[in-house]
Amino acid sequence: MAHHTLHMPITEAQVRALRAGDTVTLEETLYGIRDATQIHMFDHGRRTKFDLRGHAVIHTAPNLRKVERSGTNHSGYEAVCVGTTTSDRMERFTRPLMEREGVRIIIGKGGLREGSLDAFRDLGGAYLAVVGGAAALETTWIEAVEDVDLDDLNPESLYKFRIKGFGPLLVAMDSHGGSLYAAVNAEAARRRQAVLERLGAG
């Protein structure tokens, strides 16, 4: 297992160097996205002003505080708590995010499904897992809310965060078909079958 420090944005070669079980720390820029954001982008044809090519997105609807815009705060927001939400319900947006917007990395909790694993393999991407309940820690990795788009969807707007030392995060799904979730499920099924056989119910 290896650790990677990635300064965003990254190339396809960089994301294909990641393997399930590796750890990653992100630097520079991260985009926050959630259900409504992607429904509007891909079901209703809305486009973002942000160039997401080579970037990472995190599944989140952050708790932000509105503040007066200033020379050091152009977005009018500051982070109060930026936690990660469950990814599974956004499964259908993985390939569109990668194909249309050029996203390379998705961050969330709970994992994604086979369709996303196929997209990561076909297009060059990875899923990085965050442990649930770590929102307070994650927030310390965010230096500022630099910009916001689609803000009529607040709090499910599209946010541009400036980050420093965002991680370590676990590579849970890679571009080579590797999935820690699949491995855990297979091991759980194996153990279950062994127990059933010992009980004479297998």
Side-chain angles (χ1 to χ4, degrees):
M1 307 303 175
H3 181 73
H4 308 260
T5 298
L6 300 177
H7 293 261
M8 309 306 294
I10 60 171
T11 64
E12 180 177 347
Q14 285 176 290
V15 79
R16 289 198 183 274
L18 305 179
R19 298 283 180 161
D22 288 355
T23 55
V24 174
T25 298
L26 302 181
E27 303 286 355
E28 317 299 346
T29 302
L30 175 64
Y31 291 90
I33 200 166
R34 194 160 163 162
D35 309 56
T37 333
Q38 295 176 93
I39 288 168
H40 278 258
M41 288 173 68
F42 300 113
D43 292 350
H44 303 309
R46 295 182 67 178
R47 305 302 292 241
T48 175
K49 66 182 181 181
F50 297 139
D51 183 355
L52 302 180
R53 287 174 296 177
H55 279 285
V57 298
I58 184 169
H59 289 152
T60 184
N63 184 352
L64 305 178
R65 178 187 297 116
K66 279 205 166 189
V67 295
E68 188 173 340
R69 295 176 188 267
S70 67
T72 57
N73 188 323
H74 302 290
S75 71
Y77 290 104
E78 64 182 16
V80 176
C81 186
V82 181
T84 311
T85 193
T86 304
S87 297
D88 185 78
R89 64 184 184 273
M90 290 173 269
E91 160 72 20
R92 69 186 179 95
F93 297 117
T94 300
R95 188 173 288 273
L97 266 177
M98 297 180 69
E99 285 183 336
R100 194 183 91 179
E101 302 295 338
V103 168
R104 288 287 177 202
I105 290 174
I106 296 174
I107 302 169
K109 65 182 181 183
L112 290 164
R113 300 181 219 167
E114 191 67 29
S116 291
L117 197 60
D118 290 342
F120 295 147
R121 183 171 41 235
D122 295 345
L123 303 169
Y127 180 86
L128 308 184
V130 176
V131 175
L137 177 60
E138 291 172 57
T139 307
T140 67
W141 302 335
I142 293 173
E143 291 191 317
V145 183
E146 284 195 331
D147 204 351
V148 61
D149 194 18
L150 310 180
D151 205 23
D152 57 302
L153 305 177
N154 184 287
E156 299 193 36
S157 308
L158 183 56
Y159 299 99
K160 181 181 181 181
F161 300 120
R162 185 173 74 245
I163 57 172
K164 185 173 183 180
F166 200 97
L169 308 170
L170 181 64
V171 181
M173 302 171 75
D174 65 27
S175 62
H176 308 281
S179 170
L180 298 185
Y181 304 106
V184 167
N185 287 340
E187 177 62 13
R190 185 191 68 78
R191 294 186 181 187
R192 177 181 181 275
Q193 185 60 33
V195 170
L196 289 174
E197 288 175 359
R198 286 199 300 271
L199 294 173

